[in-house]
Amino acid sequence: MSSRSKARKRALDILFQADVRGDQPAVILAAEARRAAGEPARQASWLYAREIVDGVIDNQDAIDEQITTFAKDWSLARMPAVDRAVLRIATWELLYNDEVPAAVAIDEAVELAKEYSTDDSGAFVHGVLARIARAS
């Protein structure tokens, strides 16, 4: 697994945890930063995970607007928490990170959704992100 794939998983953990606990992502991010300081072998994945989470925090209103616009009759509240987190990560990559090709962002998100969410989540995430990518 590449360091960016690991970073996406770490970002998913942080965003999911914040969502489920009702905490601010920055609070969970700070706790993870303290833990990461003692794990030099995971430094590469930590740096990108932090960039993702910071990017989602900084742009959450715009990201959520894109997801809501292209989710076709699905509100954010109605989505599984894992799907919300995966969509936020990939939408940030699509809209704010020019280093990640759209196809990679979408494929990585679909794999996370398939692994950690419902049986239908992979197709749902793919559909939403494909519409966002076409519109951007």
Side-chain angles (χ1 to χ4, degrees):
M1 180 181 289
S2 76
S3 64
R4 283 208 169 174
S5 294
K6 290 176 187 174
R8 288 179 186 95
K9 168 66 172 86
R10 287 181 92 164
L12 173 61
D13 290 344
I14 293 165
L15 293 172
F16 174 78
Q17 193 174 54
D19 193 4
V20 170
R21 288 183 176 179
D23 289 340
Q24 292 296 315
V27 172
I28 305 297
L29 185 64
E32 287 297 315
R34 288 188 296 277
R35 185 176 325 178
E39 300 174 343
R42 297 173 69 186
Q43 189 66 23
S45 68
W46 167 246
L47 293 175
Y48 190 57
R50 180 176 200 116
E51 183 179 347
I52 292 168
V53 175
D54 283 339
V56 170
I57 291 168
D58 292 345
N59 301 286
Q60 187 158 348
D61 290 342
I63 288 169
D64 286 354
E65 181 180 326
Q66 288 289 304
I67 294 168
T68 302
T69 298
F70 293 103
K72 292 194 176 184
D73 301 325
W74 278 82
S75 67
L76 282 171
R78 194 171 154 219
M79 294 174 198
V82 172
D83 293 3
R84 275 193 303 272
V86 167
L87 286 167
R88 285 172 173 153
I89 290 165
T91 301
W92 174 80
E93 285 187 316
L94 289 170
L95 300 178
Y96 300 100
N97 188 345
D98 295 334
E99 294 176 15
V100 177
V104 171
I106 293 170
D107 288 346
E108 291 275 338
V110 168
E111 289 306 311
L112 285 171
K114 285 180 180 178
E115 185 170 349
Y116 296 106
S117 197
T118 70
D119 291 340
D120 297 328
S121 291
F124 173 72
V125 164
H126 185 273
V128 173
L129 294 174
R131 288 187 287 277
I132 291 170
R134 277 194 300 273
S136 60

